[in-house]
Amino acid sequence: MSTTPKNLEELKKELLDKMPTKVARKRDKAIVPGAESGEAIPVIQANVRTIPGILTQRGCTYAGCKGVVLGPTRDIVNLTHGPIGCGYYSWLTRRNQTDAGEDGDNYIPYCLSTDMTENDIVFGGEKKLRAAIKEAYDNFKPKSISVFATCPVGLIGDDIHAVARQMQEELGITVFANSCEGYKGVSQSAGHHIANNQIFRHVIGTDDTPVEGKYKINLLGEYNIGGDAFEIERIFEKCGITLLATFSGNSTITQFRQAHHADLNTVMCHRSLNYVAEMMETKFGIPWMKINFIGAEATAKSLRRIAAYFEDPELMARVEQVIAEEMPAVKAAAAEVLPRTTGKTAMLFVGGSRAHHYQDLFREIGMETLAAGYEFAHRDDYEGRHVLPTIKVDADSRNIEELEIEPDPVRYNPRKTPEQMKALEDKDVRFKVYEGMIGEMKKEALIIDDINQYETHRIIELMKPDIFCAGIKEKYIIQKMGVPLKQLHNYDMGGPYAGFVGAVNWYHEIDRLVNTKVWSLIKAPWNDNGPELEAAYVAG
Ligand code: CFM
């Protein structure tokens, strides 16, 4: 279905020409070309407020804190302090799976809320919150309860942290609160940061019980959507790598408490969890590196990088053996679909890391990305981590607390000397870096931050992709345009797509989607010239 590529300026003009001048001027800064062939990486506008009235894909700060980062941990009871809607509509809406473990403590299926009403808004909700924490404790006797503020809580000024402290003392379990009111930041990204701060402050490093195992690592920014973490765990186990904690897919609070025993932090979704990686390095001396298990090649590269870090020939050999065992099935699946998928085109507009990571999976089956963008990423996710010092801290970012971290007087233990780190860097085992999306996309491609519904429709009309990746809000509108939509948030009930098994699943799924004829056969009702049902409104 591909078309003659237009140049970026033409495309941009067509995207923006129907917008009011002021809006077009703002949106213009959020649209840039790729720079794969060595062009200078352009500056993109990101992590700024959505223009009011625009239909954004974004979610709120509460969603990023409760739903994304803390939600997947099975044995922390999550309690929403707010009117019932926030709890209800965030109840089991994210497909993070978990293994309930031997103790069977799994509170993920529950939805707990203080159910604030007008009375609480007027007279304050702290009493109700205290009672709700007590009730949750009496029912479940959990190891921990975490409280999440919704918008009205910040507006009326309930001191949720004081309540949490009192209840922690009274109940003798970890109780902590998150000031993650929906409006706190410009998107769910602020909620990630808040959750990172609170897990770090209240949980990580609070259990010094030694953990047995060779090659101990943590996996940060993997949420076990559709079973991705299960596949990554399988691969680690096969390689003999000991996974202490995943933040936070298929995790427990005990794993978080003991995470400081790891010798390496590997970061998958850096957008949501990079703060914990940084703070753990400062406090405990654990280095972190970017890895990626989306795409078979990326998986192999990440495993090799982890093995290189440990500098142990035994682990390196084991990793090579695992890759050699797993790759034939992946290659066979790719070879099978390649004749049907090569040359097809994709667009990805989702979140803060997948719109980049999944381009690798498309590349593996010969598909090119015409346009991509994030909902809520920051400039470093687009341009690369090196731009961090140049990012202007605006009032909205300043609103989110930055913890002051010091090396722990007892637990700080640098895992490698500066010389060892340097020697590894010289061998291309790099730390604290990641490349952005822009440098890995063609110069004919469009990169659009915080895309809105209007722009979505226009780029589909203008560039005609064979598949569009986004979420449920976009799905049916885009499919009515005759383009299949693959949900990249919840995987349309599919997955896993991580690791080797995941790559095979993805190849088959995409082959099925881009080659089905059904989308070209349907016509949206309003494009059909058939009989129309008419009605008139009669006043009176
Ligand atoms: Fe990270 Fe995520 Fe994503 Fe994200 Fe998300 Fe998600 Fe996502 Mo939906 S943590 S940034 S806030 S990879 S829920 S598992 S799919 S938008 S691209």
Side-chain angles (χ1 to χ4, degrees):
M1 222 209 252
S2 63
T3 59
T4 345
K6 299 184 188 228
N7 77 39
L8 177 88
E9 286 315 313
E10 273 171 38
L11 276 169
K12 247 178 134 169
K13 205 167 153 273
E14 291 193 54
L15 265 182
L16 303 174
D17 65 358
K18 291 271 184 335
M19 294 181 186
T21 324
K22 228 171 121 185
V23 174
R25 213 183 298 130
K26 282 191 178 163
R27 290 300 303 151
D28 184 63
K29 296 185 193 134
I31 307 174
V32 301
E36 187 193 52
S37 346
E39 296 86 2
I41 292 184
V43 173
I44 189 167
Q45 170 188 280
N47 194 32
V48 298
R49 292 182 186 194
T50 301
I51 301 164
I54 272 184
L55 291 179
T56 172
Q57 294 181 334
R58 283 175 168 173
C60 71
T61 301
Y62 161 81
C65 186
K66 177 194 177 256
V68 175
V69 177
L70 280 156
T73 308
R74 67 176 167 86
D75 57 0
I76 299 179
V77 166
N78 289 333
L79 170 63
T80 299
H81 186 34
I84 195 62
C86 301
Y88 184 80
Y89 289 109
S90 60
W91 183 15
L92 285 182
T93 46
R94 195 154 167 266
R95 281 188 68 229
N96 44 263
Q97 303 183 356
T98 200
D99 174 346
E102 277 170 23
D103 57 22
D105 288 348
N106 176 18
Y107 310 116
I108 292 178
Y110 294 94
C111 168
L112 282 82
S113 169
T114 51
D115 185 19
M116 286 176 103
T117 58
E118 285 99 328
N119 207 46
D120 310 308
I121 305 287
V122 175
F123 298 104
E126 291 177 15
K127 226 169 106 190
K128 204 165 189 182
L129 176 60
R130 216 169 280 128
I133 295 174
K134 180 78 174 61
E135 192 182 334
Y137 179 77
D138 291 342
N139 274 293
F140 298 112
K141 300 280 179 323
K143 296 185 183 82
S144 174
I145 296 174
S146 187
V147 174
F148 300 88
T150 57
C151 295
V153 172
L155 298 176
I156 64 172
D158 275 358
D159 191 346
I160 55 172
H161 302 283
V163 174
R165 268 194 308 275
Q166 286 161 12
M167 294 311 287
Q168 167 156 309
E169 228 164 84
E170 187 181 318
L171 304 173
I173 60 163
T174 306
V175 183
F176 63 101
N178 302 274
S179 290
C180 56
E181 288 84 356
Y183 60 76
K184 206 58 180 269
V186 301
S187 69
Q188 53 268 62
S189 170
H192 303 152
H193 195 165
I194 294 164
N196 279 226
N197 286 349
Q198 295 306 77
I199 315 176
F200 192 79
R201 188 181 254 148
H202 298 278
V203 184
I204 294 172
T206 55
D207 182 346
D208 286 328
T209 317
V211 188
E212 294 301 316
K214 237 177 164 183
Y215 321 119
K216 288 184 268 191
I217 69 165
N218 296 317
L219 176 60
L220 276 55
E222 162 49 51
Y223 300 92
N224 205 16
I225 307 294
D228 278 351
F230 293 148
E231 163 66 358
I232 300 171
E233 286 168 18
R234 178 188 74 84
I235 297 170
F236 283 160
E237 209 180 307
K238 217 170 155 185
C239 294
I241 296 167
T242 310
L243 178 63
L244 264 54
T246 299
F247 291 82
S248 57
N250 194 31
S251 63
T252 65
I253 189 163
T254 310
Q255 291 165 354
F256 293 168
R257 290 190 194 288
Q258 300 174 341
H260 60 302
H261 294 299
D263 292 318
L264 174 68
N265 275 331
T266 60
V267 181
M268 177 125 147
C269 168
H270 47 81
R271 181 62 275 134
S272 56
L273 242 299
N274 72 84
Y275 317 94
V276 160
E278 281 286 302
M279 293 189 283
M280 284 184 83
E281 177 156 23
T282 312
K283 187 166 178 183
F284 305 111
I286 307 170
W288 70 264
M289 62 165 62
K290 165 82 186 154
I291 46 83
N292 175 24
F293 290 105
I294 302 297
E297 294 298 338
T299 300
K301 207 165 135 192
S302 298
L303 291 172
R304 289 189 175 118
R305 207 177 276 173
I306 295 169
Y309 169 81
F310 285 100
E311 299 176 274
D312 184 335
E314 188 190 316
L315 178 61
M316 291 179 193
R318 184 81 199 119
V319 158
E320 288 309 324
Q321 195 188 329
V322 170
I323 295 170
E325 276 171 30
E326 299 279 335
M327 272 302 192
V330 176
K331 295 274 181 227
E336 191 202 327
V337 305
L338 268 161
R340 293 186 296 269
T341 51
T342 304
K344 302 274 186 193
T345 56
M347 289 185 179
L348 304 89
F349 287 91
V350 61
S353 68
R354 290 188 176 175
H356 183 187
H357 288 164
Y358 275 75
Q359 291 186 32
D360 282 352
L361 267 175
F362 277 125
R363 238 172 255 131
E364 287 172 4
I365 46 172
M367 290 179 63
E368 190 195 314
T369 302
L370 298 177
Y374 297 125
E375 281 170 52
F376 50 76
H378 301 198
R379 273 183 55 207
D380 48 307
D381 305 302
Y382 287 106
E383 300 171 45
R385 191 172 168 87
H386 61 277
V387 301
L388 271 184
T390 68
I391 297 181
K392 214 173 92 235
V393 182
D394 61 10
D396 289 307
S397 329
R398 210 169 289 126
N399 213 10
I400 312 302
E401 188 184 17
E402 283 286 346
L403 300 187
E404 290 283 335
I405 308 295
E406 297 282 332
D408 188 289
V410 183
R411 298 176 186 83
Y412 182 74
N413 162 29
R415 304 312 201 260
K416 303 257 178 193
T417 63
E419 294 72 37
Q420 285 172 318
M421 293 290 276
K422 168 86 181 41
L424 282 169
E425 295 257 7
D426 290 345
K427 280 190 254 165
D428 211 27
V429 183
R430 296 165 73 212
F431 300 92
K432 296 164 83 79
V433 281
Y434 42 81
E435 304 306 326
M437 169 199 279
I438 297 176
E440 291 182 2
M441 289 184 70
K442 291 215 158 57
K443 70 169 188 294
E444 297 79 22
L446 269 189
I447 293 133
I448 308 178
D449 182 62
D450 187 19
I451 196 170
N452 52 63
Q453 203 179 55
Y454 170 76
E455 291 162 359
T456 305
H457 290 185
R458 288 298 282 152
I459 54 163
I460 291 176
E461 281 166 7
L462 294 166
M463 299 173 95
K464 302 197 170 33
D466 294 299
I467 190 165
F468 198 99
C469 298
I472 189 69
K473 299 197 292 293
E474 296 77 33
K475 187 173 176 84
Y476 297 101
I477 300 165
I478 290 173
Q479 291 192 160
K480 281 174 186 164
M481 296 176 82
V483 176
L485 187 140
K486 176 68 189 168
Q487 290 192 68
L488 266 200
H489 299 268
N490 76 356
Y491 298 164
D492 287 304
M493 311 311 281
Y497 297 128
F500 301 110
V501 169
V504 173
N505 287 342
W506 179 261
Y507 303 162
H508 289 311
E509 174 75 342
I510 297 306
D511 175 31
R512 188 179 69 81
L513 281 166
V514 298
N515 288 305
T516 174
K517 295 272 183 296
V518 68
W519 308 109
S520 55
L521 298 177
I522 57 156
K523 228 180 200 179
W526 52 88
N527 289 332
D528 197 347
N529 293 325
E532 206 174 295
L533 193 62
E534 279 188 35
Y537 177 72
V538 184

